Amino acid sequence: MAWIGKAFGMTGKKANELVTPQDAIQQLRTTEEMLNKKSEFLEKKVEQELSNAKRHGTKNKRLAAFLVAIAALKRKKRFEKQLLQIDGTLSTIEFQREALENANTNTEVLKIMGVASRSLKAAHQNLDVDEVHNIMDDLQEQQEISTEISEAISNPIGFGHDIDEAELEAELEELEQEELATKLVNATPAARDRLPSVPNDEPQREALPTSSRRAPPRPHRAADPHDDEDIRQLQSWAS
Protein backbone atom coordinates (compact mmCIF):
# COMPACT_ATOMS: atom_id res chain seq x y z
CA MET A 1 0.00 0.00 0.00
CA ALA A 2 1.90 2.92 -1.36
CA TRP A 3 -0.26 5.52 0.29
CA ILE A 4 0.80 4.25 3.75
CA GLY A 5 4.43 4.78 2.77
CA LYS A 6 3.57 8.29 1.65
CA ALA A 7 1.74 8.90 4.93
CA PHE A 8 4.86 7.91 6.87
CA GLY A 9 7.06 9.94 4.59
CA MET A 10 9.04 6.82 3.60
CA THR A 11 9.80 7.17 -0.10
CA GLY A 12 12.95 6.13 -1.93
CA LYS A 13 16.04 6.09 0.26
CA LYS A 14 14.18 7.55 3.23
CA ALA A 15 12.29 4.28 3.62
CA ASN A 16 15.56 2.53 4.42
CA GLU A 17 16.55 5.05 7.07
CA LEU A 18 16.03 4.09 10.71
CA VAL A 19 13.09 5.83 12.36
CA THR A 20 13.00 6.30 16.13
CA PRO A 21 10.09 4.75 18.03
CA GLN A 22 8.81 8.20 18.98
CA ASP A 23 8.72 9.31 15.36
CA ALA A 24 7.05 6.07 14.25
CA ILE A 25 4.39 6.42 16.93
CA GLN A 26 3.70 10.00 15.90
CA GLN A 27 3.44 9.04 12.21
CA LEU A 28 1.08 6.18 13.04
CA ARG A 29 -1.16 8.55 14.98
CA THR A 30 -1.19 10.98 12.07
CA THR A 31 -2.12 8.21 9.63
CA GLU A 32 -4.79 6.96 12.02
CA GLU A 33 -6.39 10.39 12.18
CA MET A 34 -6.31 10.67 8.36
CA LEU A 35 -7.97 7.27 7.93
CA ASN A 36 -10.66 8.10 10.47
CA LYS A 37 -11.51 11.25 8.55
CA LYS A 38 -11.65 9.30 5.26
CA SER A 39 -13.85 6.70 6.91
CA GLU A 40 -16.28 9.38 8.03
CA PHE A 41 -16.35 10.81 4.48
CA LEU A 42 -17.08 7.40 2.95
CA GLU A 43 -19.85 6.74 5.47
CA LYS A 44 -21.52 9.96 4.40
CA LYS A 45 -21.15 8.97 0.71
CA VAL A 46 -22.74 5.57 1.44
CA GLU A 47 -25.71 7.25 3.08
CA GLN A 48 -26.00 9.70 0.17
CA GLU A 49 -25.92 7.00 -2.52
CA LEU A 50 -28.41 4.91 -0.55
CA SER A 51 -30.74 7.88 -0.42
CA ASN A 52 -30.40 8.44 -4.20
CA ALA A 53 -31.13 4.80 -4.91
CA LYS A 54 -34.27 4.91 -2.77
CA ARG A 55 -35.45 8.14 -4.38
CA HIS A 56 -35.08 6.97 -8.00
CA GLY A 57 -35.90 3.33 -7.57
CA THR A 58 -39.07 3.37 -5.48
CA LYS A 59 -41.02 6.38 -6.73
CA ASN A 60 -40.07 6.50 -10.44
CA LYS A 61 -40.62 3.37 -12.50
CA ARG A 62 -39.05 4.73 -15.66
CA LEU A 63 -35.97 3.15 -17.18
CA ALA A 64 -33.74 6.20 -16.69
CA ALA A 65 -34.59 6.45 -13.02
CA PHE A 66 -34.02 2.74 -12.64
CA LEU A 67 -30.56 3.03 -14.17
CA VAL A 68 -29.72 5.95 -11.85
CA ALA A 69 -30.74 3.92 -8.84
CA ILE A 70 -28.61 0.96 -9.96
CA ALA A 71 -25.58 3.23 -10.42
CA ALA A 72 -26.09 4.70 -6.96
CA LEU A 73 -26.16 1.23 -5.41
CA LYS A 74 -22.96 0.32 -7.27
CA ARG A 75 -21.21 3.38 -5.88
CA LYS A 76 -22.52 2.54 -2.41
CA LYS A 77 -21.05 -0.95 -2.65
CA ARG A 78 -17.70 0.48 -3.74
CA PHE A 79 -17.66 2.92 -0.86
CA GLU A 80 -18.56 0.15 1.59
CA LYS A 81 -15.67 -1.95 0.27
CA GLN A 82 -13.27 0.97 0.86
CA LEU A 83 -14.69 1.34 4.37
CA LEU A 84 -13.90 -2.29 5.09
CA GLN A 85 -10.36 -1.83 3.84
CA ILE A 86 -9.91 1.29 5.97
CA ASP A 87 -11.27 -0.48 9.05
CA GLY A 88 -8.76 -3.30 8.56
CA THR A 89 -5.94 -0.81 8.05
CA LEU A 90 -6.96 1.11 11.18
CA SER A 91 -6.90 -2.12 13.21
CA THR A 92 -3.40 -2.92 11.93
CA ILE A 93 -2.12 0.61 12.59
CA GLU A 94 -3.64 0.62 16.09
CA PHE A 95 -1.97 -2.71 16.86
CA GLN A 96 1.41 -1.46 15.58
CA ARG A 97 1.08 1.80 17.51
CA GLU A 98 0.32 0.02 20.77
CA ALA A 99 3.21 -2.39 20.20
CA LEU A 100 5.58 0.52 19.53
CA GLU A 101 4.34 2.38 22.59
CA ASN A 102 4.92 -0.66 24.77
CA ALA A 103 8.35 -1.25 23.23
CA ASN A 104 9.23 2.42 23.68
CA THR A 105 8.12 2.30 27.32
CA ASN A 106 10.16 -0.84 27.94
CA THR A 107 13.16 0.76 26.23
CA GLU A 108 12.93 3.86 28.38
CA VAL A 109 12.55 1.75 31.52
CA LEU A 110 15.59 -0.32 30.56
CA LYS A 111 17.59 2.83 29.87
CA ILE A 112 16.71 4.24 33.29
CA MET A 113 17.54 0.92 34.95
CA GLY A 114 20.86 0.83 33.10
CA VAL A 115 21.70 4.35 34.22
CA ALA A 116 20.77 3.48 37.80
CA SER A 117 22.89 0.32 37.64
CA ARG A 118 25.91 2.18 36.32
CA SER A 119 25.48 4.93 38.92
CA LEU A 120 25.21 2.38 41.71
CA LYS A 121 28.26 0.55 40.40
CA ALA A 122 30.22 3.81 40.25
CA ALA A 123 29.14 4.64 43.80
CA HIS A 124 30.32 1.25 45.05
CA GLN A 125 33.49 1.26 42.99
CA ASN A 126 35.59 2.80 45.74
CA LEU A 127 33.88 0.89 48.54
CA ASP A 128 34.82 -2.46 50.03
CA VAL A 129 32.72 -4.58 52.37
CA ASP A 130 35.69 -5.22 54.67
CA GLU A 131 36.47 -1.52 54.70
CA VAL A 132 32.88 -0.72 55.64
CA HIS A 133 33.04 -3.21 58.52
CA ASN A 134 36.34 -1.67 59.68
CA ILE A 135 34.81 1.80 59.60
CA MET A 136 31.83 0.63 61.64
CA ASP A 137 34.15 -1.04 64.17
CA ASP A 138 36.18 2.17 64.45
CA LEU A 139 33.01 4.17 65.00
CA GLN A 140 31.91 1.77 67.75
CA GLU A 141 35.32 1.97 69.41
CA GLN A 142 35.35 5.76 69.29
CA GLN A 143 31.85 5.81 70.74
CA GLU A 144 32.97 3.66 73.67
CA ILE A 145 35.99 5.92 74.22
CA SER A 146 33.74 8.97 74.19
CA THR A 147 31.48 7.33 76.80
CA GLU A 148 34.44 6.53 79.05
CA ILE A 149 35.74 10.11 78.74
CA SER A 150 32.32 11.50 79.67
CA GLU A 151 32.10 9.24 82.73
CA ALA A 152 35.65 10.18 83.80
CA ILE A 153 34.88 13.88 83.51
CA SER A 154 31.64 13.59 85.46
CA ASN A 155 33.25 11.79 88.46
CA PRO A 156 34.76 13.98 91.27
CA ILE A 157 38.56 14.02 91.38
CA GLY A 158 40.30 12.67 94.54
CA PHE A 159 37.18 12.49 96.68
CA GLY A 160 35.73 9.39 98.30
CA HIS A 161 38.36 6.97 97.03
CA ASP A 162 40.86 7.00 99.97
CA ILE A 163 38.34 6.96 102.88
CA ASP A 164 37.54 3.81 104.85
CA GLU A 165 33.80 3.36 105.37
CA ALA A 166 34.35 1.30 108.55
CA GLU A 167 36.27 4.21 110.05
CA LEU A 168 33.41 6.57 109.17
CA GLU A 169 30.89 4.24 110.80
CA ALA A 170 32.98 4.08 113.99
CA GLU A 171 33.22 7.87 114.08
CA LEU A 172 29.46 8.15 113.60
CA GLU A 173 28.83 5.77 116.50
CA GLU A 174 31.19 7.79 118.70
CA LEU A 175 29.28 10.97 117.86
CA GLU A 176 26.02 9.28 118.80
CA GLN A 177 27.49 8.25 122.21
CA GLU A 178 28.69 11.81 122.84
CA GLU A 179 25.27 13.15 121.95
CA LEU A 180 23.64 10.71 124.36
CA ALA A 181 26.06 11.68 127.16
CA THR A 182 25.34 15.36 126.56
CA LYS A 183 21.61 14.72 126.85
CA LEU A 184 22.15 12.87 130.13
CA VAL A 185 24.23 15.73 131.59
CA ASN A 186 21.71 18.34 130.51
CA ALA A 187 18.77 16.35 131.81
CA THR A 188 16.44 18.04 134.40
CA PRO A 189 16.71 17.14 138.12
CA ALA A 190 13.41 15.31 137.93
CA ALA A 191 14.78 13.18 135.11
CA ARG A 192 18.00 12.53 137.07
CA ASP A 193 15.97 11.45 140.12
CA ARG A 194 14.29 8.81 137.98
CA LEU A 195 17.69 7.33 137.11
CA PRO A 196 18.87 4.36 139.26
CA SER A 197 21.11 5.45 142.15
CA VAL A 198 24.57 4.07 142.75
CA PRO A 199 24.66 1.85 145.89
CA ASN A 200 26.64 3.04 148.96
CA ASP A 201 29.00 1.03 151.15
CA GLU A 202 26.09 -0.30 153.11
CA PRO A 203 22.80 -1.32 151.61
CA GLN A 204 20.00 1.00 152.36
CA ARG A 205 16.73 -0.38 153.55
CA GLU A 206 13.60 0.77 151.90
CA ALA A 207 11.48 3.08 154.03
CA LEU A 208 8.47 1.47 155.47
CA PRO A 209 5.18 2.91 154.38
CA THR A 210 3.46 5.02 156.99
CA SER A 211 0.03 3.85 158.00
CA SER A 212 -2.32 4.17 160.90
CA ARG A 213 -1.46 0.70 162.09
CA ARG A 214 2.21 -0.16 162.69
CA ALA A 215 3.49 -3.53 161.76
CA PRO A 216 4.73 -5.66 164.59
CA PRO A 217 8.53 -5.63 164.99
CA ARG A 218 10.34 -8.42 163.19
CA PRO A 219 12.37 -10.78 165.33
CA HIS A 220 16.16 -10.21 165.41
CA ARG A 221 18.07 -12.44 162.95
CA ALA A 222 21.67 -13.42 163.40
CA ALA A 223 24.23 -12.10 160.94
CA ASP A 224 24.69 -14.32 157.94
CA PRO A 225 28.18 -14.59 156.40
CA HIS A 226 26.54 -14.54 152.94
CA ASP A 227 25.30 -10.98 153.59
CA ASP A 228 28.88 -9.77 153.99
CA GLU A 229 29.75 -11.33 150.65
CA ASP A 230 26.87 -9.53 148.96
CA ILE A 231 27.97 -6.21 150.47
CA ARG A 232 31.48 -6.66 149.16
CA GLN A 233 30.15 -7.39 145.62
CA LEU A 234 28.02 -4.23 145.75
CA GLN A 235 30.96 -2.14 146.86
CA SER A 236 33.10 -3.56 144.08
CA TRP A 237 30.43 -2.74 141.49
CA ALA A 238 29.99 0.79 142.82
CA SER A 239 33.71 1.55 142.72
Side-chain angles (χ1 to χ4, degrees), residues 13 41 56 65 74 85 96 112 126 134 163 182 184 196:
K13 294 182 179 180
F41 173 76
H56 293 89
K74 288 181 179 180
Q85 292 177 350
Q96 291 180 348
I112 294 174
N126 297 326
N134 293 332
I163 299 176
T182 303
L184 291 175

Side-chain angles (χ1 to χ4, degrees), residues 42-59:
L42 291 175
E43 287 176 354
K44 290 180 181 179
K45 295 295 290 184
V46 168
E47 292 177 358
Q48 184 179 356
E49 295 300 333
L50 181 60
S51 178
N52 290 334
K54 288 179 179 180
R55 186 172 66 253
H56 293 89
T58 56
K59 295 181 180 180

Side-chain angles (χ1 to χ4, degrees), residues 9-220:
M10 296 184 295
T11 58
K13 294 182 179 180
K14 292 183 178 180
N16 297 325
E17 294 179 357
L18 182 62
V19 181
T20 61
Q22 292 83 357
D23 295 338
I25 291 171
Q26 185 60 38
Q27 291 175 2
L28 286 172
R29 287 176 178 173
T30 303
T31 303
E32 194 174 356
E33 292 177 358
M34 181 191 66
L35 291 176
N36 284 325
K37 290 180 180 180
K38 189 172 183 179
S39 178
E40 292 176 359
F41 173 76
L42 291 175
E43 287 176 354
K44 290 180 181 179
K45 295 295 290 184
V46 168
E47 292 177 358
Q48 184 179 356
E49 295 300 333
L50 181 60
S51 178
N52 290 334
K54 288 179 179 180
R55 186 172 66 253
H56 293 89
T58 56
K59 295 181 180 180
N60 299 321
K61 300 298 182 180
R62 291 178 299 178
L63 180 60
F66 176 75
L67 294 176
V68 172
I70 292 298
L73 289 177
K74 288 181 179 180
R75 290 191 295 270
K76 183 180 82 68
K77 291 293 184 180
R78 187 172 65 252
F79 293 149
E80 288 177 350
K81 185 177 181 179
Q82 292 181 9
L83 279 173
L84 290 175
Q85 292 177 350
I86 291 175
D87 289 340
T89 304
L90 283 172
S91 298
T92 302
I93 290 176
E94 184 178 0
F95 175 77
Q96 291 180 348
R97 178 176 56 80
E98 291 177 354
L100 278 174
E101 288 176 349
N102 293 332
N104 185 44
T105 301
N106 294 334
T107 302
E108 294 297 326
V109 171
L110 288 175
K111 286 181 180 179
I112 294 174
M113 293 177 66
V115 172
S117 177
R118 289 190 295 272
S119 300
L120 189 62
K121 184 177 180 180
H124 292 164
Q125 186 175 3
N126 297 326
L127 292 178
D128 185 12
V129 177
D130 295 333
E131 184 179 356
V132 172
H133 285 299
N134 293 332
I135 292 174
M136 296 304 296
D137 292 339
D138 292 339
L139 289 174
Q140 182 67 26
E141 183 179 357
Q142 295 301 321
Q143 182 67 28
E144 293 176 357
I145 293 174
S146 178
T147 303
E148 292 178 0
I149 292 174
S150 299
E151 291 178 355
I153 293 174
S154 61
N155 290 331
I157 299 175
F159 179 78
H161 298 285
D162 54 350
I163 299 176
D164 188 5
E165 293 185 0
E167 182 180 354
L168 293 177
E169 293 178 359
E171 184 177 355
L172 180 61
E173 185 177 359
E174 184 179 354
L175 292 175
E176 291 177 353
Q177 294 294 332
E178 292 180 357
E179 181 69 18
L180 180 60
T182 303
K183 290 181 178 180
L184 291 175
V185 171
N186 297 329
T188 59
R192 285 198 298 267
D193 292 339
R194 289 195 297 269
L195 295 176
S197 59
V198 180
N200 296 326
D201 294 339
E202 295 181 358
Q204 296 179 359
R205 296 182 178 178
E206 296 180 357
L208 295 175
T210 57
S211 59
S212 58
R213 296 179 61 184
R214 294 183 179 272
R218 294 181 180 180
H220 180 72

Side-chain angles (χ1 to χ4, degrees), residues 214-235:
R214 294 183 179 272
R218 294 181 180 180
H220 180 72
R221 184 171 59 87
D224 190 357
H226 294 288
D227 294 339
D228 296 336
E229 182 66 23
D230 294 337
I231 292 173
R232 284 194 299 270
Q233 289 181 359
L234 289 174
Q235 289 177 352

